[in-house]
Amino acid sequence: MGALDAELQAALESLAGTGRLLVALDFDGVLSPLVEHAEDARPLDGSASAVRALAALPETVTAFISGRALDSLRTVASPEPETLLIGSHGAETWTGPNQEPLQLTPEQAELLARARTAVESVVARHPGCRLEDKPAGVVLHTRSVTEPVAAAATEDARRELGQLDGVHVTDGKSVLEASVISTNKGEGIRALRGLTGATAVLFAGDDVTDERGFEALEPGDVGIKVGEGTTAAAYRVDSPEAFTAVLAELARLRTAAVVG
């Protein structure tokens, strides 16, 4: 792996010296390459090693902030016990053993059932598409179908879900997600910052749903977009494999700063 971009290298060097560092990472497309079947995703070995090294350092907090449901995130990411977790774009959180699981109100549960029925009908009309259940939402997956079928199914689902007042619809890479809880990764970043007392944050993401996270960053933070697409992030790398080098360098710099 070649040297990092000089501006990104300088940003990491500055970040590594902060008093209390929060490293908040999306999973799919960042720590793991995107795969056709979500359950097959696993972090790249180098990225997993760097996260473990960072999690073990003093005054350094690691967190995964993902669109996945928490149970799915735990299965594929195998996080360290001290790593904080935000799932379902912020609707689910795990900040320690005393964290209460997400509980929907009866009204939210009924609305979620109606949203599921709507997406189920779309999947039936567009073979090859897939439905995923989440504790606060339901997702239409279109990665396994052709682009015309994906576009038609997505618009079909958007129309159906648009008739349900209180359902929040979010676009992602080959997914359309409906949630009965309004939240986003920007709110997740702000919550993690407050919870941990972080003096600076690194946040990395690859999808349009990560843009709210980049927008929540403050001066002194570092936002990294992985892959293509318009972004509010100040820095960009081409792939999860390239991001491995970023994490490894941050772990090296942070170790030197807090351990010596």
Side-chain angles (χ1 to χ4, degrees):
M1 191 72 67
L4 299 183
D5 172 83
E7 291 187 0
L8 176 55
Q9 178 71 35
L12 294 178
E13 290 173 359
S14 176
L15 185 74
T18 196
R20 187 162 177 80
L21 175 62
L22 169 63
V23 181
L25 307 170
D26 186 19
F27 181 78
D28 296 282
V30 175
L31 295 176
S32 167
L34 294 175
V35 294
E36 183 171 346
H37 300 290
E39 63 272 17
D40 294 335
R42 292 296 184 274
L44 295 167
D45 289 343
S47 290
S49 295
V51 171
R52 284 195 298 271
L54 286 163
L57 291 173
E59 297 300 323
T60 307
V61 180
T62 54
F64 295 157
I65 178 166
S66 173
R68 286 178 180 263
L70 280 187
D71 285 347
S72 173
L73 182 58
R74 287 190 178 99
T75 297
V76 298
S78 300
E80 296 302 297
E82 58 267 41
T83 295
L84 306 179
L85 304 176
I86 291 185
S88 300
H89 303 287
E92 295 182 275
T93 61
W94 186 86
T95 56
N98 295 325
Q99 179 77 41
E100 291 291 331
L102 175 67
Q103 293 287 339
L104 298 182
T105 66
E107 293 79 13
Q108 288 172 326
E110 180 184 358
L111 185 59
L112 178 57
R114 293 173 63 193
R116 189 188 193 285
T117 297
V119 175
E120 198 172 36
S121 69
V122 171
V123 169
R125 293 194 294 271
H126 300 276
C129 295
R130 186 171 61 84
L131 179 151
E132 177 192 0
D133 287 306
K134 291 186 178 181
V138 60
V139 186
L140 172 71
H141 287 267
T142 59
R143 191 176 301 279
S144 298
V145 299
T146 63
E147 195 168 314
V149 173
T154 299
E155 285 310 305
D156 197 3
R158 197 188 309 280
R159 183 175 57 253
E160 294 269 355
L161 293 166
Q163 300 175 32
L164 301 177
D165 187 32
V167 170
H168 308 277
V169 178
T170 304
D171 287 276
K173 290 183 177 179
S174 302
V175 299
L176 187 75
E177 179 163 346
S179 176
V180 297
I181 295 177
S182 177
T183 188
N184 60 66
K185 291 186 179 182
E187 293 179 9
I189 292 289
R190 285 186 283 270
L192 287 172
R193 189 194 302 274
L195 175 70
T196 62
T199 53
V201 177
L202 180 140
F203 174 59
D206 75 306
D207 206 343
V208 292
T209 57
D210 297 308
E211 291 303 310
R212 298 293 289 274
F214 293 133
E215 292 165 3
L217 298 180
E218 300 177 359
D221 295 341
V222 173
I224 303 176
K225 167 79 170 183
V226 180
E228 300 178 348
T230 303
T231 185
Y235 305 96
R236 185 192 303 269
V237 296
D238 292 337
S239 66
E241 290 79 6
F243 185 65
T244 295
V246 175
L247 275 181
E249 179 63 2
L250 179 60
R252 184 187 73 81
L253 291 167
R254 185 63 173 170
T255 299
V258 299
V259 178

